Amino acid sequence: MARIVGGLGTSHVPSIGAALDKGLRDTPEWKPFFDGYVPAQEWVREQRPDVAVVVFNDHFNALFLDRVPTFAVGCAAEYHPVDEGWGPRAIPPFEGAADFAWHLVDTLVDNHFDPEIIQEIKVDHGLQVPMELFWGRPPEAWPVKVVPIFVNVLQYPIPRPDRLYALGEVLGRAIADYDSDERFVVLGTGGLSHQLQGARAGFVNPDADRRFLQDIAHDPGKLAGWSREQYVETFGGEGAELIMWLVMRGALDPEVVVRHRHYFVPASMTGAGMIVLENA
Amino acid sequence: MGGEPDRIPDTPLLDRERQLRGYRMNKMAMGLGDPANRAAFKADEPAYLDRFGLNEEEKAAVLSRDWKEMVRLGGNLFFILKISAVDPVRITEIGAHQAGMDHESFLRDRLGKKV
């Protein structure tokens, strides 16, 4: 049976990808941010995951407001980067793990989660940036296949935090039940605190971010029990996307070990966080 | 949280009312993900805006790059960013404009940067 080797959490700020594109990795502004990911990249190299399930949101790049799936699972063979207005980025396409994706859809529906099933879609910085941060940008092909899980965290009503945690629990069972010897990681992405809109734009909350990086490991039930309003108030209008980390956490066992943790503020306008978790 | 007014001050969320109010403007900006549309936007911006049926108020907000007004009219930042990519304008400048602060104060006082 397939095995989950760990859970990864990270911010997915587009400026991170832009900084890499512009060769700013080692500038004083960005170096402390990127250096914090070096131990996580070593962890990924040692663990050699075959499949990455990436929980993220499209930022109105591949999906428009004409149809807004609350949950969607990519079941495609390949995902190309989308043009977000700046032109195409020089990163390889992502190979999909389509067989597992269909197994996941079956398992989700059997457990009362009914996702949209996607066959053709491009992926934006929400998926690209976490992959670049943990794997580094490869010259030709990514050394891991992906299964994108798209979550609507922009058009209200967005799903409840406890629902995302429950989705993660089903995802964990789907991996455990999958007839394969492949090694899986689950990525929860987004956040941490930031707000891009309104007179409160520029809001960040480093104390709450640091507390979140503790609680996501050791008290996830508390975070799953928060209301959406609490997330918006505590982490900002766009920071509420942090609820997507709960899917990653739900896929792991109740007891976890923190292998690596990193926090940096501000990455562009965002409190940027990272965590590497393993089942205890 | 559905169609109710925002409960958290100065924090506009994309609820039903804003989705409907901003639909045309957001659809216009979504189009800028396509290089051909970016070229059309740069060549004749008012004509590009007319293609998407923007009214005078919406056109004025876009043409003057009044980010705060675009958001008030239902524009969502993730669409508006595609306009800023064409210009280009930094996201922190858009943030400062909405906060009613100059850029340097915004970086320092909101984001905690040493400037």
Side-chain angles (χ1 to χ4, degrees), chain A residues 2-274:
Chain A
R3 193 161 78 84
I4 186 162
V5 297
L8 309 175
T10 184
S11 302
H12 60 214
V13 184
S15 305
I16 297 167
L20 291 171
D21 292 345
K22 293 175 190 161
L24 304 177
R25 160 78 179 73
D26 291 318
T27 57
E29 181 171 5
W30 284 103
K31 191 174 188 310
F33 168 78
F34 285 111
D35 282 354
Y37 281 80
V38 171
Q41 291 189 345
E42 284 167 9
W43 182 92
V44 166
R45 273 196 298 276
E46 284 166 14
Q47 293 295 330
R48 294 170 288 100
D50 301 296
V51 179
V53 179
V54 186
V55 185
F56 77 111
N57 67 295
D58 175 76
H59 303 77
F60 300 128
N61 288 304
L63 295 165
F64 183 61
L65 295 168
D66 55 342
R67 44 198 96 166
V68 182
T70 298
F71 299 118
V73 176
C75 296
E78 196 172 51
Y79 304 93
H80 284 262
V82 66
D83 183 340
E84 301 189 25
W86 303 89
R89 298 187 62 221
I91 59 174
F94 300 88
E95 184 186 351
D99 187 68
F100 174 76
W102 283 104
H103 165 74
L104 174 60
V105 169
D106 286 337
T107 309
L108 288 172
V109 172
D110 277 344
N111 287 276
H112 313 289
F113 284 95
D114 309 305
E116 181 168 298
I117 300 165
I118 296 193
Q119 201 48 248
E120 284 189 56
I121 196 164
K122 292 181 176 176
V123 290
D124 75 2
H125 64 268
L127 183 139
Q128 295 169 23
V129 165
M131 296 301 293
E132 291 175 88
L133 284 171
F134 286 119
W135 275 267
R137 188 186 301 184
E140 283 171 18
W142 297 91
V144 59
K145 290 183 282 189
V146 302
V147 176
I149 299 180
F150 298 81
V151 180
N152 166 39
V153 290
L154 298 178
Q155 164 74 69
Y156 284 79
I158 66 174
R160 293 162 51 114
D162 56 356
R163 192 80 177 130
L164 294 181
Y165 192 67
L167 175 70
E169 291 176 317
V170 176
L171 167 62
R173 290 205 291 280
I175 293 170
D177 292 345
Y178 185 51
D179 187 11
S180 156
D181 57 5
E182 289 174 307
R183 298 160 66 82
F184 280 70
V185 283
V186 179
L187 274 67
T189 76
L192 288 45
S193 62
H194 64 297
Q195 179 158 332
L196 308 179
Q197 313 190 81
R200 198 170 73 134
F203 171 82
V204 287
N205 193 344
D207 289 341
D209 288 344
R210 291 194 173 91
R211 203 155 49 241
F212 179 87
L213 289 171
Q214 299 287 339
D215 290 343
I216 192 69
H218 304 302
D219 199 0
K222 181 180 90 178
L223 294 173
W226 277 27
S227 68
R228 289 162 290 192
E229 289 87 345
Q230 269 176 290
Y231 275 91
V232 172
E233 187 154 32
T234 306
F235 297 105
E238 282 66 43
E241 68 182 7
L242 200 45
I243 59 177
M244 292 187 290
W245 288 44
L246 292 168
V247 181
M248 174 276 285
R249 185 62 186 86
L252 300 176
D253 291 347
E255 295 299 322
V256 295
V257 179
V258 179
R259 291 296 177 210
H260 303 288
R261 186 162 26 211
H262 176 50
Y263 184 69
F264 177 90
V265 64
S268 182
M269 283 171 66
T270 302
M274 182 276 284

Side-chain angles (χ1 to χ4, degrees), chain B residues 30-49:
Chain B
M30 181 82 181
L32 298 175
D34 178 345
N37 285 338
R38 291 200 287 272
F41 181 88
K42 281 185 202 168
D44 187 343
E45 195 171 318
Y48 179 82
L49 301 184

